[in-house]
Amino acid sequence: MPLPTRIMAKSGFDLGADDYDISEVLEGSHQIRVPDYQREYSWGKDQWSELWDDVYALTRERDNHFLGSMVVIENKENSPKTLELVDGQQRLTTISLFLCAIRDRFETDAEYVEIADLVDEFLQIQSRTTGERHQKLRLNKFHNDDFNRILTGNVDLVSNSELKNAYEYYQSKLDGLSTEKVQEIYDALINSVYLVQIDCGSEVSAFRLFESLNDKGLDLGAVDLVKNRLFMAANENSDIDEDRVKHLWEEIMTVVRPELNQNYRFFSHYLMSISRPGTRDNVSKNKLYDYVDELLDEGLEKEGLTVEEMLEDMLEKSHVYVDLINCEVSENFQPSKLRELNSKLESTQIKNDRIRTLLLKIVIDYDDADDVLEALNILEVLNTRDKIVGRGSNTGRDRFWSRVCSLMDERQEPNEYLRRMAEKRSPNDTIIKERVVSREFKNNNFTKYILDRIEEDHYMRTGGQEKTVSDRSTVDIEHIAPQRVWTADKYSGWQKYLNCSEEEFDEFKKRIGNLTLLQNRLNQTASDNPFEQKCNIYRNNTDFLMTQAIPEEFEEWRIEQIKNRSEKMADIICEVWSMDNV
């Protein structure tokens, strides 16, 4: 591999760059490592397909293909010598999985076994001193075990993962080709696909390069940018313990990464929930990096906080945040209250993960479970009424919860403030009723929750042994008049029975008046029957009192009955989700 020319720019970059084909990138005795703090492998079928198409085209007409760049920092102290892969892991990981699929295909043909061994030399390296074999590319600790299983031909031991999916994608593409064509693809991949390798002389140069790339509009990910900004600050400031910062970051990511598809949510919610430094604005994905940049420039210092102290607090609260997501909060609350508290947390978060900003603050700051339950009941009323009406943007909601967190710090009785705030913000009964009778209710957990609470708090009053929202996987939303009356032959009898047009029925079929609850096993039977036959099931084969009431209240089921029951349900909703009940 030719040595790149080193560049020292006025901006402080210390780096060298040169273009290499894949064989040059993967040859040599050095190992390429993805740091543990890097995000997970996230390429999908669109990217896999694009790479396949580009490589396949090289076997027919094109001379070469430029795939992009990889940014590395050399570390000579490790054994084997390593290049830390700061950027480019998605490309290099995909290429390695592509090569694994090619190698495994060659191994099925006796004439190509030796070529399979040559492919393997790109995937693994051997120490010249110990003779040990190492991965050429090593992923972070979260994904390397599965990656290594694929590298060593043990893909069957890998559970579902994007790594396995990528390997199987290329395997399926190769299956329909002759071995000669596979060799053409292999030659094109290693000799005609190029990467620009950017060698950074130091971590700070790599971090600055990341910032420069971001300024040019490349999507590097909000969490990646925050991480690099933190590491750059630690690298440049001798008062900051750089190793401690990296360790804390890795610990935080270890906690939140398995629980969140969008890791930035935790960091945004955390920063909006804390008192020091506080903010009344929303810290969205697009604002996250700039806000952290301001904190590192002067915000933390003004509050008398260090970077390490902020990260230590962030790590502690990351565990609580994950407990919120899973509704498994314990903290130091009374054990007798935990089941009720976590059930209420689940209800409060349905279709509203943005409220976790405030939930995190409440669970952290409150000492008594009864106070937490009172706050959750207030928020449940507000959240449900807001969701029914469907008002406000996500940005507005984030800003609102952030502002509430800040203002709660100024109140001696935070729940009284929450109550006044909720009463002021909640849509009134007139608006709720108008919206309930006119909107569609989709077949989702929020609608199940609405129906479940109506069942429990209105029809059952004192509770009982009936299904609740925590059991929603075993309960179905039943459409009294089936949704597919005009699209499925088996419901043709309903067309005559309803005595309305298709357009009119489409307008009312998803209204709440046409919905009730049934156990899964009953839904399949009931959905094929006309109303008279359904009533027999509603009377005799379900424990849901809401459903039992339908044949008692209605002798027929047409558009007029859907309207009437929707109005009744609207009255019940205003009754159940009332601040008077809190």
Side-chain angles (χ1 to χ4, degrees), residues 38-39 86-88 91 206-207 209-228 285:
Q38 288 281 19
R39 63 179 173 174
V86 179
D87 185 40
R91 300 179 184 91
F207 302 148
L209 178 60
F210 251 68
E211 288 188 311
S212 175
L213 291 173
N214 187 57
D215 288 341
K216 297 182 186 305
L218 295 175
D219 182 15
L220 301 178
V223 176
D224 291 323
L225 291 167
V226 168
K227 170 202 67 183
N228 286 312
K285 179 180 179 181

Side-chain angles (χ1 to χ4, degrees), residues 321-410:
Y321 189 84
V322 168
D323 288 342
L324 283 174
I325 294 173
N326 296 319
C327 301
E328 296 175 350
V329 167
S330 57
E331 291 303 290
N332 298 315
F333 300 125
Q334 303 95 303
S336 60
K337 299 286 186 178
L338 289 180
R339 182 175 180 179
E340 182 183 3
L341 190 154
N342 284 308
S343 176
K344 191 61 65 174
L345 276 173
E346 182 176 11
S347 301
T348 307
Q349 294 180 81
I350 290 176
K351 300 292 285 183
N352 187 15
D353 55 17
R354 295 176 184 276
I355 203 173
R356 289 175 189 154
T357 294
L358 183 54
L359 296 182
L360 181 61
K361 182 174 186 62
I362 289 171
V363 172
I364 291 289
D365 288 359
Y366 286 24
D367 296 322
D368 189 273
D370 287 327
D371 291 336
V372 176
L373 283 167
E374 181 184 3
L376 294 178
N377 282 318
I378 292 169
L379 294 174
E380 184 179 21
V381 171
L382 171 60
N383 181 48
T384 303
R385 285 180 168 246
D386 264 353
K387 284 294 179 183
I388 287 172
V389 173
R391 68 181 188 185
S393 65
N394 288 335
T395 298
R397 293 187 188 100
D398 279 340
R399 185 176 292 111
F400 174 74
W401 298 125
S402 178
R403 186 169 181 271
V404 170
C405 285
S406 297
L407 292 174
M408 283 177 64
D409 290 327
E410 303 171 8

Side-chain angles (χ1 to χ4, degrees), residues 46-89:
D46 288 346
Q47 291 82 13
W48 306 333
S49 177
E50 184 176 357
L51 177 61
W52 170 266
D53 290 344
D54 288 334
V55 173
Y56 196 86
L58 291 170
T59 66
R60 294 180 298 184
E61 53 194 43
R62 290 164 50 183
D63 294 330
N64 54 63
H65 173 66
F66 174 65
L67 189 58
S69 63
M70 55 183 282
V71 180
V72 298
I73 305 170
E74 185 175 0
N75 188 334
K76 297 180 180 179
E77 297 178 1
N78 291 340
S79 179
K81 184 181 72 173
T82 62
L83 295 176
E84 184 175 298
L85 188 60
V86 179
D87 185 40
Q89 69 143 319

Side-chain angles (χ1 to χ4, degrees), residues 467-493:
K467 305 288 185 182
T468 66
V469 73
S470 60
D471 309 301
R472 60 181 175 269
S473 64
T474 64
V475 172
D476 269 351
I477 294 173
E478 158 80 349
H479 289 76
I480 302 168
Q483 292 189 82
R484 297 187 297 144
V485 167
W486 266 266
T487 59
D489 291 341
K490 62 182 178 180
Y491 299 131
S492 58

Side-chain angles (χ1 to χ4, degrees), residues 108-170:
T108 65
D109 190 324
E111 295 183 12
Y112 287 84
V113 172
E114 291 185 4
I115 301 180
D117 293 338
L118 293 176
V119 178
D120 214 36
E121 290 182 9
F122 287 125
L123 301 171
Q124 301 190 57
I125 55 176
Q126 187 169 18
S127 171
R128 295 176 181 176
T129 55
T130 66
E132 290 183 287
R133 294 183 68 80
H134 303 277
Q135 297 167 233
K136 178 66 181 183
L137 173 66
R138 182 180 180 87
L139 302 190
N140 64 31
K141 64 183 179 183
F142 304 103
H143 298 94
N144 192 62
D145 287 346
D146 280 346
F147 184 61
N148 189 45
R149 292 184 183 105
I150 299 174
L151 291 181
T152 55
N154 295 303
V155 68
D156 291 341
L157 300 179
V158 180
S159 57
N160 291 332
S161 73
E162 285 305 293
L163 295 169
K164 183 177 182 179
N165 292 340
Y167 167 85
E168 290 179 341
Y169 172 83
Y170 290 114

